[in-house]
Amino acid sequence: MILYAPTFTSYLTSAPALFDTIRAMVSDGRWHILFQLHPKLEREWVDQYRALCGEHASWVQGPDVLWALKTADAMLSDTSSIVWEFLLLRKPAVTFRNGEPGPYLIDVRE
C-alpha cells in the first residue's frame, strides 16, 4: 500500500512528472495506491488521478488523513509537508525532487 501525497505548488509538485509512472503502477496491480491530493492542486491533475481509482487505487477523502498514514506501507511524495508526518511513523518515504533531501528520505531526481 503506497500513499501518494504531492504538494500543490506548481514548481514543486510531482503530479505532472509522475502521472505516467503512477498510472503504470496502478495498471501493474502489484501495489494499491492511496491518492491524497492537496485540495489546491490544479483541477486537471486531480481529475486525471481520480480517474485511476478502481481495484488498485483509492481516493482519500476529507481532511482526516491519519487512517491513510497508518494504513500505507510507504509514501511517495515530493516536497509536501505531509512527508514529515509520515516519517514520524518510522515508515519509508520516497520523494521526487525534494527541496530538502536528507538521509531519512529516498529522494529520486529523475
Side-chain angles (χ1 to χ4, degrees):
M1 182 89 52
I2 299 171
L3 176 60
Y4 177 54
T7 192
F8 69 92
T9 308
S10 62
Y11 65 92
L12 295 174
T13 188
S14 60
L18 295 184
F19 181 77
D20 290 336
T21 299
I22 292 173
R23 180 176 50 196
M25 291 171 67
V26 170
S27 295
D28 181 84
R30 293 189 310 174
W31 301 278
H32 189 91
I33 312 291
L34 296 172
F35 294 117
Q36 170 60 41
L37 275 60
H38 196 284
K40 292 183 180 179
L41 184 66
E42 289 182 31
R43 175 62 45 200
E44 168 192 359
W45 293 111
V46 171
D47 293 344
Q48 288 187 50
Y49 277 98
R50 190 181 291 269
L52 297 178
C53 290
E55 182 180 0
H56 300 290
S58 302
W59 198 257
V60 177
Q61 295 285 344
D64 182 15
V65 298
L66 287 179
W67 70 269
L69 293 172
K70 291 177 186 177
T71 301
D73 298 304
M75 173 179 272
L76 175 58
S77 190
D78 38 47
T79 304
S80 178
S81 61
I82 199 169
V83 171
W84 309 113
E85 296 172 39
F86 192 77
L87 288 172
L88 290 173
L89 297 172
R90 301 177 145 310
K91 296 180 182 184
V94 177
T95 56
F96 182 73
R97 300 180 186 157
N98 187 279
E100 297 181 24
Y104 41 82
L105 295 173
I106 302 166
D107 188 55
V108 178
R109 304 314 272 177
E110 299 179 16

